[in-house]
Amino acid sequence: MASKASRTPIGHNSTIDQAEIDHFASLAQEWWNPTGKFKPLHKFNPVRLSYIREKLCAHFDRDPKSPNALSGLRVLDIGCGGGLLSEPMARMGADVVGADASQTNIEIARLHADQSGVKVDYRATTAEDLAAAGEKYDVVLNMEVVEHVADVDLFMTACASMVKPGGLTVVATINRTWKANALAIFMAENVLRWLPKGTHQYEKLVRPEEIEAPLHAQGLHTQEVSGVFYNPVSDTWKLSTDTDVNYMVLASRPVQ
């Protein structure tokens, strides 16, 4: 585990936690291996993609059965890693910007997109830098990222500021509860060994109200908070009303 000193932000007004960036950069070659270090994300991808597609199509009045259901929508996948979410969003027709603070992750993502023939605008940058540049999006996806940043309020504020009027944001993370500590950290890292030890730290987990507060301060309205749970029998993830461990927040900015 990184020392306390290495977990501090870089410079002023930064969401970068260098220890987190280094950790995921060291695993970059594993991003697209469905049985490798990111196996849990590959397992989780179908449920989150289904949720995102359903909510975006309902909100923007699109046909969910259309292969290009998200055509014309500008989407930011912040903390995109190797592009596990960016590529399928682009395949649905969206104009996707995949952003990650790790240059190594971005290089892996670009290489895979080129090999797959998928167009994604990958950038090695941060949420606050994109916001400062005046970037705006119909949809901001903030999936399994916020628990790895140095300043949650700054990060969420930057992400929320980039949602266009009439736009949406989806945030997925892990709750800071005893159940999450037992299941998402101890079991996942030490017993099941789904994740490398140290992937998550309990004190960095984020409660729903800590997600919603900066969203609301930026003028967004919470549409729903949905839980997600793992079914060991079917080896799949499902939506749930239980938000004690994994959950997703859906919020929108009113049309002005």
Side-chain angles (χ1 to χ4, degrees):
M1 184 175 293
S3 66
K4 183 176 181 180
S6 68
R7 306 200 68 82
T8 55
I10 297 175
H12 299 289
N13 298 322
S14 173
T15 64
I16 293 177
D17 184 324
Q18 192 60 49
E20 297 281 4
I21 300 302
D22 292 345
H23 173 73
F24 285 100
S26 70
L27 302 173
Q29 296 292 338
E30 292 279 332
W31 275 110
W32 288 94
N33 180 359
T35 62
K37 301 293 186 181
F38 293 102
K39 180 179 178 179
L41 274 183
H42 284 271
K43 289 284 188 181
F44 191 41
N45 232 17
V47 70
R48 67 178 183 173
L49 278 169
S50 177
Y51 179 86
I52 291 168
R53 186 186 185 105
E54 175 190 341
K55 298 305 177 181
L56 266 57
C57 285
H59 183 80
F60 293 104
D61 194 23
R62 303 298 181 87
D63 179 4
K65 296 180 181 179
S66 170
N68 295 308
L70 306 184
S71 179
L73 295 180
R74 191 164 192 247
V75 175
L76 171 64
D77 180 15
I78 190 69
C80 64
L84 298 187
L85 191 58
S86 294
E87 280 197 26
M89 294 299 293
R91 289 184 187 278
M92 293 184 212
D95 176 12
V96 180
V97 172
D100 199 283
S102 167
Q103 180 67 48
T104 305
N105 284 344
I106 289 299
E107 289 172 359
I108 293 293
R110 283 174 177 160
L111 178 62
H112 193 274
D114 287 344
Q115 293 174 339
S116 303
V118 180
K119 183 181 178 182
V120 179
D121 179 4
Y122 282 117
R123 307 180 191 180
T125 187
T126 64
E128 58 269 26
D129 285 346
L130 287 169
E135 291 278 338
K136 298 293 180 182
Y137 301 89
D138 298 294
V139 181
V140 174
L141 301 178
N142 183 340
M143 312 298 283
E144 295 79 44
V145 181
V146 69
E147 70 269 25
H148 300 293
V149 304
D151 187 326
V152 172
D153 281 347
L154 177 61
F155 180 69
M156 291 306 306
T157 297
C159 290
S161 72
M162 292 186 280
V163 179
K164 291 180 181 179
L168 287 177
T169 187
V170 185
V171 185
T173 189
I174 303 172
N175 207 339
R176 194 170 67 253
T177 64
W178 67 266
K179 189 188 293 186
N181 192 33
L183 298 178
I185 297 180
F186 182 78
M187 286 291 291
E189 296 182 9
N190 297 281
V191 180
L192 299 174
R193 298 189 178 182
W194 282 351
L195 302 167
K197 289 184 179 181
T199 298
H200 294 111
Q201 294 81 43
Y202 177 76
E203 66 274 10
K204 296 193 72 175
L205 302 184
V206 189
R207 293 173 177 156
E209 59 268 26
E210 296 166 344
I211 295 292
E212 294 179 278
L215 293 179
H216 295 171
Q218 285 293 311
L220 275 68
H221 298 166
T222 300
Q223 299 298 311
E224 66 180 33
V225 180
S226 301
V228 189
F229 81 101
Y230 174 72
N231 185 330
V233 177
S234 61
D235 190 27
T236 56
W237 290 85
K238 303 286 186 183
L239 292 178
S240 168
T241 57
D242 184 354
T243 61
D244 286 348
V245 184
N246 296 83
Y247 68 92
M248 293 188 287
V249 176
L250 176 69
S252 62
R253 183 180 298 282
V255 178
Q256 296 175 342

